[in-house]
Structures are given as structure tokens and as C-alpha cells.
Amino acid sequence: MAKEKRDPMGAALGVLNRVAGLGLLDRLGLRKPVERGLYQATRAGFRTAAATSRTFTAASKLGQPARLPKAPEQDLFDITPTDEQKMIVDTVREFAAEQVRPVAPDADAKCEAPQGLVSAAAELGVTLMGVPEELGGVGAERSAVTSVLIAEALAHGDMGIAVACLAPAAVANALVEWGDAEQQSTYLPALTGENAPAAALTVQEGQPLFDPFALRTKAYRTADGFRLTGVKTMVPRVGQAELFVVAADLDGRGPALFVVESGSAGLSVEADPSMGLRAAGLGTLHLDNVAVPASALLGGGDPAVYADCVRLGRLGWCALAVGTAQAVLDYVIPYVNEREAFGEPVSHRQGVAFMVADIGIELEGMRLVTYRAAGRAEQGKPFARETALARKLCADKGMRIGLDGVQLLGGHGFVKEHPVERWYRDLRAIGLAEGTLLV
């Protein structure tokens, strides 16, 4: 009997259902925060060598790169998730509520996500969604919308931990979308297998008004490949990452993407905790004349590849903004209904009620434009305009929602007893961050 072809949602659902049972999560020991593991850079706060990289080798060679086909075109715009997407989101949302949110304050304080939690997220299949079945994933077509839904659900638990969990998926998605047969054969089996390595897509640089299309990190051609020099910032789990996709200006002709292993000579990392996203374990990646082979260039250095990378990353950040903003709204509504002043709930005051209503209105706008841009992206349609609208709206309104959430809690909004101050700090990153995610 011929094997039945699975659609991407059904395949992903199968992965989720196999591992999402609470019994398995308990057996993995995720009811309590996992003790600190390999990431010593955050605590020590000094520049050090990167994590020892495993040997990435291709067990078998692909004849040609495997690509996911675009999703079927739709004449009507419909943001209603399919039944499969709803079940996936429900599973990830439950994981975020029961496993992510309880450990988020501790992860924020320690500046790292628990290793066991990140591993459990990988077991849920968040890295497999955008990878074809023949490469160890569960994807049958491009799934930007599903990736957005997963990112949104994870961010409802905590944005910083969501970034840590989704960072390897960005590298896997980049290899599927633009990698050649050799690159896919070499790196994707490790990213989709057991004991998957930490990995990061890094675009951001530490300069005011950073422009991702005017990079200071440089790549120069050599006789046998390239040499990279520069500094990348806001790199998630930088002390643990074994594989990087690095954006650099190629010979002064424009940005390009390079696959760099952490064991490369001249590569070092440094902890750099930020105001927000502290649970992501953000740090700095130093590239000091790092030599990479010619095969490290991703997508042939095509400017269109890098432009799509930036846009798809921005959609990922928009999804995180939607999820965190929803968490703010879900938290402040019961608070203002239960908090009493002058003998009645504070929600009876028009100033409070209108502020809560504004949060709900702006949130729906953020969600609408983000879903629309993701839908166009997965169908292979132009999505630059829609992405620009989504980023602008999510950056401005997301930060405003975080601020209003703090205001609505009054003095409680300023203390760590309530999570809204953390969500506010995280939401301020939406307008600044580039790369890291890829839907």
C-alpha cells in the first residue's frame, strides 16, 4: 500500500501529540527549573571561546537541495486557522502556560532559558515544521503562517524563552529555503535529530539606528573561501550555540549569509544581557578574521535571499509581539475587574476601561497584518509591503500595550511580583531586533 502523503499540519500534529502528554513532560523533569548547564558566559560576563562544535558531516549526499513547495494560492484572505493549526496552537499554548510561564521569572533573573525546557520545545517539533520529510522534518509545504502561530503561542508564555526555543528553527528554515544540497546534507540531520545543537541566525549589530542592509561585519573572498570580521549582537544562547548563520557585507557589494561553525578559529562569544529578552541568553559574537570555506555562502550571495531573510525575521518578531501583547491583555482584564478603589472595581472608571479596550483594538490590528503578511509569504506572493506595515504597527503598538499594561497595574506594574513589567521590557525589543527568527 502506498504511503499516504501527510499535509504539514497533520504531520506536525503527529509529532506534537506524541510528546505533549503531561506524563512525558513530568518524566523529563520539567516541573521544576533545570539547573544551570553549559552557559557560563552569562554568569561570568567575560569574553570566551564559543561552545565546542560537534563535527558536522554529511552521512549521505543529496542529489539536489530539497525545497518546500509554496502553499496554494487563495483569492480570499482568511485568518481563521485550520483545525490542525488550532490543535497545534492549543498544544503549544498549553506547553507555554504550564511549562514556560512558571519558570520565566527565574530565567529572566539568570539570563538563560532552562536547557530542559528548550529541549522539550524541540521535542514538540518547533524546528521540524519548516523542514521537508526527506530531511528529517514534517513539512510538506511552506508554513509561514503556522510558524507565526507557534511563535505567538510560545510568546504568550514568555518572549525571551520563545526566542531561545525558536532560534534553531531559524537556522533550519534558512538551510531549507536557501541552502544547497551539500549544506542541507551536512547540517540539517543534526538540527532535526536527537540532541540537536543550539544554533542562531545573527544579523543584528551594535550601532545606533542599525540598518540591516548596511552591515559593518565584512566578508572578503580568499583563494579557498571567505574571511569574516565583525561583531554581531543580540545572539540568543550565544554561549551554547554550535552553529551560526551570519550576515555580513560581501566584498563591499552588499549583505550575504554565511554558515559558520562555533569551532572556527577566531570566533569568540561574550555575554551581553539586555533590558529585555533576558531569558534568551543574549550575547555578542566576535568574528576576528574567521576563515570559512567557499561552501559556507548561503543562497549564492543573492541580494534577494538576504532581503527575504530580513523580512521573514521581522514577521517572526511581529508574531512574538502579538503573543506577548495578548498575555498583557489577558492579565490586565481580571486585574482591573478585581482591583477595587473607592468601593468599586477600577474597571468601572472610564479611563481604565477605555485603555483596556484600546489594547484589544490595537492587538487585533497587529494580528491581522502579521497573518496577512505571513500568508502572502508562504504562497510565494510579494510580501515586502505587508511586512513593513506589520513591523511598524507591532513595534509602535506593542510597546504602547506594554506601557499601558504597566500603567493599569499602578504600583504593581513596577514590581517583579507581576509579570507585566517583564513583558513591557520584552516588547521594547520589537522595533530594534533584526534576524534571530525566521518563519
Side-chain angles (χ1 to χ4, degrees), residues 332-356 407-410 412:
V332 300
I333 288 177
Y335 182 90
V336 298
N337 284 330
E338 296 168 6
R339 182 74 172 178
E340 291 191 359
F342 304 105
E344 62 179 356
V346 296
S347 59
H348 290 184
R349 306 287 176 175
Q350 281 190 343
V352 171
F354 289 171
M355 188 177 292
V356 175
Q407 291 292 102
L408 285 167
L409 265 66
H412 286 164

Side-chain angles (χ1 to χ4, degrees), residues 167-181:
V171 174
N173 291 343
L175 289 167
V176 170
E177 195 69 21
W178 306 302
D180 58 28

Side-chain angles (χ1 to χ4, degrees), residues 391-406:
R391 177 177 170 83
K392 175 63 175 175
L393 191 63
C394 290
D396 292 351
K397 302 305 181 182
M399 187 168 63
R400 183 68 199 184
I401 287 172
L403 175 61
D404 287 348
V406 171

